[in-house]
Amino acid sequence: MRIAVISDIHSNLNALEAVLSAIGSVDAIWHLGDTVGYGPEPQAVVDRLRAVGATGVRGNHDDAGGGGRSIEFFNPDGYRAMEWTRTQIDEPTRLYLAGLPERLVPEGTAFTLAHGSPRDPIWEYLDSPEAARANLAAFETPYCLVGHTHVPLVFRESRGLMRAVFVDPRSRIALGEERLILNPGSVGQPRDGDPRSSYMLIDTDAGLVVWHRVKYDVEATQAAIVAAGLPLGLARRLRFGR
Ligand code: ZN
């Protein structure tokens, strides 16, 4: 089975389209939340994800887009963008966002999906080996997939030690006996200094996970952010992948 894993699209339709083209044909597309927020095309992004049959989990921005209280914890730019997002989505989309599960184990697979972390799915940032180790007891499958930090990396457990391994494009890791927490990076707002969209492909037959980057039309998304009247910082950061 070949599975594409995408996360943190953040209403960036140009980025999502570039990733979907690059992925080609797969058996499943899993998303790790934050489909909306920050970016200019929330409705179109959710429509597209539903059209390709992606299954996934709820992030803090999905929670807020669905009407949840996560918005109260957003920074000023995120807050303004979310207020705007709420005016741009129809009721079925609002219900879709609010109804996304916090955690998901796709049937018959070895993976637990969560946006932030398995123990605190909406909000915890898994950005240190300590945080990752503390989460090992919070999922039962061998592997866990998370987003939220917008930085592609893997936490691997070996003989009781937890290590963080940052990944480059084309990095690959074998699915073996070590428990792993894997982050595909962000499609719509990368924050690791590389502005290209990041995603991950899992091949369960080969037992391999491979990270990929793909260019998208950053200027077009920036222009759409400006045209929507969203905070300019949300446009600027895309160019730098920050
Ligand atoms: Zn996010």
Side-chain angles (χ1 to χ4, degrees):
M1 193 178 181
R2 289 181 75 245
I3 304 150
V5 185
I6 59 180
S7 190
D8 297 276
I9 303 162
H10 283 297
S11 302
N12 188 338
L13 184 65
N14 295 311
L16 176 61
E17 292 294 359
V19 167
L20 291 175
S21 304
I23 287 169
S25 147
V26 288
D27 300 300
I29 298 176
W30 294 346
H31 78 76
L32 305 180
D34 279 7
T35 57
V36 299
Y38 299 138
E41 288 174 285
Q43 179 73 48
V45 161
V46 174
D47 287 346
R48 190 77 170 101
L49 276 183
R50 298 179 78 176
V52 297
T55 51
V57 290
R58 180 165 22 118
N60 49 319
H61 287 259
D62 307 309
D63 184 67
R69 295 185 56 191
S70 287
I71 190 172
E72 293 168 19
F73 304 99
F74 284 4
N75 63 37
D77 280 0
Y79 191 95
R80 270 181 63 196
M82 183 47 63
E83 283 191 311
W84 176 86
T85 297
R86 286 174 166 179
T87 69
Q88 300 295 308
I89 57 176
D90 61 21
E91 185 61 6
T93 294
R94 191 188 71 73
L95 291 172
Y96 169 83
L97 294 171
L100 287 167
E102 291 193 2
R103 267 187 229 90
L104 182 69
V105 179
E107 208 181 323
T109 75
F111 298 88
T112 298
L113 281 56
H115 177 64
S117 77
R119 71 174 175 185
D120 182 6
I122 304 289
W123 272 104
E124 183 177 19
Y125 288 89
L126 280 193
D127 54 6
S128 72
E130 292 70 32
R133 188 185 303 113
N135 269 278
L136 284 174
F139 65 102
E140 283 160 15
T141 55
Y143 316 115
C144 182
L145 308 175
V146 300
H148 196 38
T149 63
H150 299 209
V151 175
L153 93 161
V154 56
F155 293 103
R156 55 194 315 175
E157 189 200 27
S158 183
R159 294 186 203 140
L161 288 175
M162 185 63 96
R163 286 191 303 136
V165 182
F166 290 89
V167 298
D168 299 318
R170 312 298 294 181
S171 282
R172 51 183 55 213
I173 190 163
L175 296 172
E177 286 175 13
E178 296 171 339
R179 295 189 84 199
L180 302 171
I181 300 177
L182 306 142
N183 190 321
S186 168
V187 169
Q189 196 195 80
R191 292 180 191 163
D192 61 343
D194 182 342
R196 296 175 298 168
S197 295
S198 185
Y199 66 98
M200 214 166 70
L201 286 176
I202 301 174
D203 185 330
T204 57
D205 298 324
L208 264 187
V209 180
V210 185
W211 281 260
H212 296 269
R213 302 301 285 241
V214 61
K215 272 192 178 164
Y216 73 95
D217 192 342
V218 172
E219 286 81 12
T221 296
Q222 291 177 314
I225 287 172
V226 173
L230 292 167
L232 292 180
L234 295 175
R236 272 189 219 112
R237 65 186 304 170
L238 295 179
R239 182 171 151 74
F240 304 103
R242 288 290 174 199

